Amino acid sequence: MVIAQETSSIMPLSKQILRNNRDIIAFRHHQVLYVNDLKRLVCQIYRQLQSSPVTHWAMAMEDSFNFVAGLLALFYAGKHPILLNPLHTELAPHYQAILTDHLTTDQIKLSDKNIINIVQLANNDRYIESEQQLPSDFQSHQLTLFTSGSTGLPKPITKTVTQLEQEISIINDYFGVFSAQLITASVSHEHMYGLTFKIMLALTNQLPFVCETIRYQEQLLGYYPNQIIYITTPSILKMLDSNIEKIVCQKVISAGGPLPYQAAKLCLACFDTLPNEIYGSTETGIIATRIPDNSNVPWQLFPKIKLQIENDNVSLHSPLIHHLEPLNDRINLIDDKHFYLNGRSDKIVKISEKRVSLTYIEQQLNQLPEITHASVITLEQKNRTILAAVLILSDLGHQQLQQMGHWHLTQHFRHLLQNKIARVAIPKKWRFVKQFPVNDQGKTSYLELKTLFDNSKTMIKKLPIEKNISVNETSATLDLYIPDDLFWFKGHFPTQPLLPGVVQLDWVVHYCEKLFAIKPTIEAIDIVKFQMPILPNDNLVLQINWLQESNKLQFTYTVGNKIASTGKIKL
């Protein structure tokens, strides 16, 4: 598939539906979506929104084309889009209703929130009349995004459409004309990074984008040899496989955390280009960029952006914000355009009216030989704030955990800390993990860490740990580890826990939806054989083949060299 569509000058967000009806907006599983399709969906959603007095709408869209249509419809209807995940109930006070393409009332469990599922809207071609009723502009309209949150709940940040478009103008001033034919991304459109580089960059430069999330380099093969821009994160680039066929990307853009030099070199080997790292935040928008062609490359400020340092305090001058913004990073200025980043400033919170540095507590924990990496967060418990620690243990730590058990090991850590930090700063809760959870932006945020301490049933572990995944359009091979604390082992069976067969089938469907970007509905189960049990702590290989002609999923679970189960699922 080769796309022959040229870019032109920047087009405002409000003018997108005025483009030629046959302009390509996006690709959904390689199906072309045109401006005409966008007009139809925008007007269908717009008609629904007009009848509602509610102003603040949470957007929960899995599909990026649906997200664009919902965003435009909300702006045209004079509503205020709120970009968040409604399943995070802590954020419920920020919105009144939900616009979605996949969630249901049962999933949200918030009876006071009106939900419009755009997939259920009547599909017809009577949109021209509504299109003529749409306002001509909405540049002053606002939307709200949320920070990832490092010491507490994400903070709401309000942006105007004008600010979003100004940011793209600055990006274009720096990079020049984009001659790419397609924008792909591993990041969510619901966060500032994805909104800017996947959605706004594509629309205003009239570049098509891929609707689904592209997390694996094999997924890009289906879009090659088009000139591709890939928007991704360090966590994705660190997992690239240089043995897979090279995919030449015009540009790879990375943000969300520090990018190791080895990951940059891996990007060059796999995509034939070094990545452009982006430094910025939800509050500030873009600040600087660099291409890491060695391990000590300074950052370069984007046009029209300046830094000011007074008494080690760093502030930002940017046309994207209307005030002097303090930065929480330690910065070493080289000149008025270039600087080095020297890590984050202290994370300070108040516990029992005392200022406590989470950074200092983490540093003390990281010095212990039993700990590889520590992160400390705040939790609210019985109307008071306490600290909680999430730890990745070293080999020594794992040995002591087996010998001492969870409680005695945490008591050991408390004892080691008591002479180094105030009593109020010693964590009250502890979790040991093999790796930190990350969100769609490749970041470990407060909400991801907080879920480790959530005892609700929705947070119970029901999936294996993914060690490695290889995927193409119709097949996938997954190396999985089966932890012994999975929900499915509780009571099944008491003397020897076994992984139930129905769970094995559920995992096949889960990974089919995740990796092949389809929503399977099981019609029948054919020829399933369970040949040996799958036990806690097993290392497992799951092979899935999607037989598109017969619309079946063929699967095999293997433990070691032995087949544990096989079968076919008719969709």
Side-chain angles (χ1 to χ4, degrees):
M1 177 194 69
V2 175
I3 311 153
Q5 180 165 318
E6 296 183 357
T7 61
S8 62
S9 59
I10 287 178
M11 175 167 283
L13 201 58
S14 61
K15 309 301 182 187
Q16 293 297 315
I17 63 171
L18 301 181
R19 290 164 55 180
N20 187 293
N21 280 346
R22 299 303 291 174
D23 274 4
I24 300 173
I25 289 286
F27 289 85
R28 177 187 288 145
H29 312 316
H30 298 277
Q31 175 192 357
V32 180
L33 296 168
Y34 298 99
V35 168
N36 205 42
D37 301 308
L38 181 65
K39 288 181 184 179
R40 181 180 296 107
L41 186 53
V42 167
C43 292
Q44 287 171 352
I45 301 170
Y46 174 76
R47 285 199 298 270
Q48 292 291 317
L49 294 172
Q50 278 186 306
S51 62
S52 173
V54 171
T55 57
H56 286 62
W57 287 77
M59 292 190 68
M61 302 289 188
E62 285 188 338
D63 181 280
S64 292
F65 180 83
N66 291 342
F67 173 81
V68 170
L71 186 68
L72 293 177
L74 285 167
F75 281 141
Y76 281 127
K79 310 296 186 182
H80 189 120
I82 312 289
L83 275 52
L84 53 74
N85 183 350
L87 297 181
H88 292 312
T89 55
E90 302 93 337
L91 304 180
H94 292 282
Y95 61 93
Q96 303 160 294
I98 301 169
L99 190 65
T100 184
D101 63 358
H102 66 287
L103 293 177
T104 64
T105 305
D106 290 339
Q107 290 171 293
I108 301 297
K109 295 183 174 60
L110 292 171
S111 57
D112 62 326
K113 305 290 186 183
N114 179 37
I115 297 178
I116 293 179
N117 189 324
I118 67 170
V119 176
Q120 299 170 354
L121 298 181
N123 187 13
N124 59 63
D125 291 324
R126 295 185 59 193
Y127 64 87
I128 297 177
E129 181 180 346
S130 295
E131 179 193 339
Q132 294 170 345
Q133 297 173 0
L134 297 177
S136 61
D137 193 18
F138 49 63
Q139 281 192 310
S140 62
H141 286 28
Q142 298 178 328
L143 58 77
T144 296
L145 305 101
F146 286 79
T147 63
S148 57
S150 57
T151 61
L153 286 176
K155 295 186 300 182
I157 304 295
T158 299
K159 304 270 185 178
T160 65
V161 174
T162 297
Q163 284 175 289
L164 300 179
E165 293 175 349
Q166 283 178 330
E167 185 168 30
I168 299 303
S169 294
I170 292 174
I171 292 172
N172 282 13
D173 286 346
Y174 180 83
F175 287 114
V177 176
F178 287 95
S179 60
Q181 298 166 315
L182 193 64
I183 289 185
T184 63
S186 69
V187 296
S188 170
H189 46 239
E190 294 175 348
H191 299 277
M192 190 69 208
Y193 176 39
L195 176 64
T196 297
F197 283 93
K198 179 179 182 179
I199 303 301
M200 289 298 299
L201 189 69
L203 293 176
T204 56
N205 285 281
Q206 301 182 66
L207 300 172
F209 60 83
V210 174
C211 293
E212 54 268 24
T213 302
I214 305 295
R215 292 190 177 92
Y216 307 102
Q217 63 200 94
E218 297 94 331
Q219 291 174 278
L220 289 172
L221 284 170
Y223 296 99
Y224 189 63
N226 290 291
Q227 295 181 47
I228 297 170
I229 296 176
Y230 187 31
I231 315 299
T232 189
T233 64
S235 61
I236 296 291
L237 295 179
K238 286 187 286 189
M239 295 189 298
L240 294 176
D241 185 350
S242 59
N243 294 316
I244 294 174
E245 178 185 346
K246 180 182 288 189
I247 303 164
V248 178
C249 291
Q250 188 197 70
K251 193 174 292 296
V252 175
I253 295 176
S254 173
L259 179 69
Y261 179 49
Q262 290 300 322
K265 291 197 295 184
L266 195 56
C267 177
L268 177 61
C270 295
F271 296 138
D272 203 37
T273 186
L274 285 166
N276 277 94
E277 284 189 86
I278 304 295
Y279 168 54
S281 69
T282 305
E283 296 96 324
T284 65
I286 56 169
I287 298 174
T289 185
R290 67 175 181 176
I291 298 177
D293 55 4
N294 64 66
S295 58
N296 194 35
V297 177
W299 292 89
Q300 179 176 339
L301 292 169
F302 278 105
K304 304 175 185 177
I305 293 175
K306 299 178 181 179
L307 295 180
Q308 173 182 311
I309 299 182
E310 292 182 3
N311 301 322
D312 294 330
N313 296 317
V314 184
S315 299
L316 175 74
H317 292 269
S318 171
L320 302 177
I321 48 180
H322 304 300
H323 57 272
L324 199 62
E325 177 73 19
L327 300 181
N328 295 319
D329 292 299
R330 294 192 294 270
I331 284 176
N332 178 22
L333 276 180
I334 300 172
D335 54 38
D336 61 353
K337 292 289 185 182
H338 300 87
F339 63 92
Y340 287 107
L341 279 175
N342 296 318
R344 298 284 288 175
S345 301
D346 272 7
K347 297 181 289 184
I348 303 294
V349 298
K350 274 198 171 182
I351 306 291
S352 299
E353 305 306 317
K354 293 184 179 180
R355 285 169 58 85
V356 173
S357 167
L358 302 187
T359 303
Y360 182 75
I361 303 170
E362 291 169 350
Q363 289 170 348
Q364 298 305 310
L365 288 168
N366 285 328
Q367 290 175 10
L368 300 178
E370 298 92 345
I371 296 172
T372 298
H373 193 42
S375 185
V376 178
I377 63 171
T378 59
L379 294 176
E380 296 301 316
Q381 185 180 71
K382 297 179 181 178
N383 295 321
R384 67 190 182 104
T385 302
I386 64 169
L387 297 184
V390 182
L391 308 177
I392 298 176
L393 297 177
S394 64
D395 291 340
L396 174 61
H398 281 293
Q399 292 174 13
Q400 293 195 3
L401 178 61
Q402 291 187 347
Q403 294 169 5
M404 302 169 64
H406 187 283
W407 188 82
H408 283 96
L409 184 56
T410 59
Q411 289 298 106
H412 170 65
F413 291 148
R414 289 189 181 101
H415 176 73
L416 294 176
L417 289 176
Q418 65 183 6
N419 294 326
K420 298 180 179 180
I421 59 178
R423 184 176 178 181
V424 71
I426 296 176
K428 300 286 192 296
K429 289 182 176 289
W430 304 77
R431 291 289 184 271
F432 304 140
V433 296
K434 286 186 171 63
Q435 58 187 22
F436 285 170
V438 297
N439 59 19
D440 289 337
Q441 306 306 104
K443 285 187 175 182
T444 298
S445 74
Y446 173 80
L447 285 177
E448 276 69 44
L449 293 173
K450 179 178 176 294
T451 58
L452 298 174
F453 299 90
D454 195 321
N455 294 320
S456 69
K457 292 182 179 180
T458 58
M459 300 302 174
I460 293 173
K461 287 191 219 170
K462 294 187 177 183
L463 291 170
I465 294 172
E466 301 165 11
K467 297 170 64 180
N468 187 51
I469 297 178
S470 176
V471 63
N472 59 36
E473 290 185 14
T474 58
S475 68
T477 303
L478 302 93
D479 294 326
L480 307 172
Y481 172 74
I482 312 302
D484 57 11
D485 58 349
L486 280 183
F487 167 79
W488 310 114
F489 292 136
K490 297 178 181 179
H492 193 96
F493 296 89
T495 55
Q496 174 56 68
L498 305 175
L499 188 69
V502 67
V503 176
Q504 297 177 42
L505 297 174
D506 182 67
W507 286 358
V508 172
V509 174
H510 166 79
Y511 284 113
C512 170
E513 181 173 350
K514 176 179 177 180
L515 301 178
F516 303 142
I518 62 174
K519 290 186 175 296
T521 301
I522 298 178
E523 186 175 299
I525 298 174
D526 298 336
I527 328 171
V528 176
K529 294 182 180 180
F530 298 104
Q531 298 175 233
M532 64 176 288
I534 296 176
L535 307 177
N537 300 310
D538 271 347
N539 287 297
L540 194 65
V541 176
L542 169 58
Q543 175 68 42
I544 305 174
N545 294 310
W546 179 21
L547 310 176
Q548 291 179 305
E549 290 186 4
S550 57
N551 205 24
K552 290 183 179 181
L553 296 175
Q554 182 183 53
F555 70 89
T556 302
Y557 285 97
T558 307
V559 179
N561 296 321
K562 296 182 179 179
I563 294 177
S565 61
T566 61
K568 291 183 180 180
I569 299 174
K570 173 69 175 175
L571 304 180

